[in-house]
């Protein structure tokens, strides 16, 4: 998920004479991080500020500084949270679907559920690109990518055992193809803006899986 380089938020907050508040009850870090994902989709890296995020959740920027230290600290917390959430996302789709391939379709769609529009996808992708210049953020992105690859492979293995895929299917190679195809079609969607992202990703997934399905 999608971060930018460190900017001097402390100076901005002092210039605006914000009052630093204590930690309000009822607004936990998870709520703030979820709100950050929404704001990131609307603003992109250049326009995201702690002041904007604070208004989104009904806090003052000083409270976010107390919790996360800076904008970079908040975005790093989000990156770490996203990496840890990969397992929870997998467990959720597995619990909701008896079919491993149905679970895989849900996993692919839910991974980019925050991209509610082509503009939002482009903004989140811009954060991801910015991450690659920062070792800590890149490490978190790599953990997320590797976790997704692992769980895609796990579902493909389950599909193979359930005979939803042919017995000779190379699930390791297929997992890499699934990742590439479903992310690639999202980039194409951001450019051509045709249809809904979930529909495009499911269609790409079906096309990739079709040669490996057993003959009826």
């Amino acid at each position: 998920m999608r971060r930018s380089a460190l900017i001097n938020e402390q100076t901005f907050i002092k210039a605006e004479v914000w009052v630093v508040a204590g930690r309000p009850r009822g607004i936990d870090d998870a709520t703030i991080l979820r709100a950050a994902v929404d704001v990131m989709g609307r603003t992109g890296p250049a326009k995201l500020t702690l002041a904007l995020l604070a208004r989104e959740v009904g806090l003052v920027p000083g409270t976010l500084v107390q919790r996360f230290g800076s904008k970079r600290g908040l975005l790093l917390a989000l990156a770490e949270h996203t990496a840890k959430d990969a397992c929870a996302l997998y467990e959720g789709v597995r619990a909701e679907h008896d079919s491993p391939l149905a679970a895989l379709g849900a996993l692919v769609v839910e991974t980019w559920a925050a991209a509610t529009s082509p503009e939002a996808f482009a903004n989140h992708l811009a954060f991801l690109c910015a991450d690659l210049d920062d070792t800590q953020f890149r490490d978190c992105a790599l953990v997320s990518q590797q976790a997704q690859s692992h769980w895609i492979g796990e579902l493909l293995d389950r599909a193979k055992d359930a005979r939803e895929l042919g017995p000779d299917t190379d699930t390791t190679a297929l997992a890499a193809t699934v990742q590439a195809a479903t992310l690639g079609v999202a980039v194409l969607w951001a450019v051509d803006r045709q249809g809904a992202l979930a529909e495009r990703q499911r269609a790409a997934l079906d096309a990739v899986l079709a040669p490996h399905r057993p003959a009826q």
Side-chain angles (χ1 to χ4, degrees), residues 13-86:
I13 291 167
K14 289 178 182 177
E16 293 297 316
V17 200
W18 290 99
V19 176
V20 177
R23 176 180 291 219
R25 294 180 180 179
I27 303 180
D28 58 15
D29 288 354
T31 299
I32 293 171
L33 295 178
R34 284 195 297 270
V37 172
D38 293 336
V39 175
M40 289 161 64
R42 298 199 303 268
T43 66
K47 296 180 181 179
L48 178 67
T49 66
L50 287 184
L52 184 60
L53 178 55
R55 287 197 295 271
E56 184 82 6
V57 294
L59 299 174
V60 295
T63 301
L64 300 185
V65 172
Q66 285 184 319
R67 296 202 195 185
F68 302 103
S70 65
K71 185 174 84 168
R72 183 180 189 280
L74 185 148
L75 294 175
L76 186 58
L78 177 58
E80 293 169 346
H81 181 76
T82 301
K84 293 176 182 177
D85 261 3

Side-chain angles (χ1 to χ4, degrees), residues 28 44 91 94 139 148 154 159 161 163 172 178 190 211-212 215:
D28 58 15
E91 294 294 344
R94 279 290 298 125
D139 287 346
Q148 185 191 43
E154 180 78 10
D161 291 341
R163 299 184 180 181
T172 300
V178 167
H212 303 279

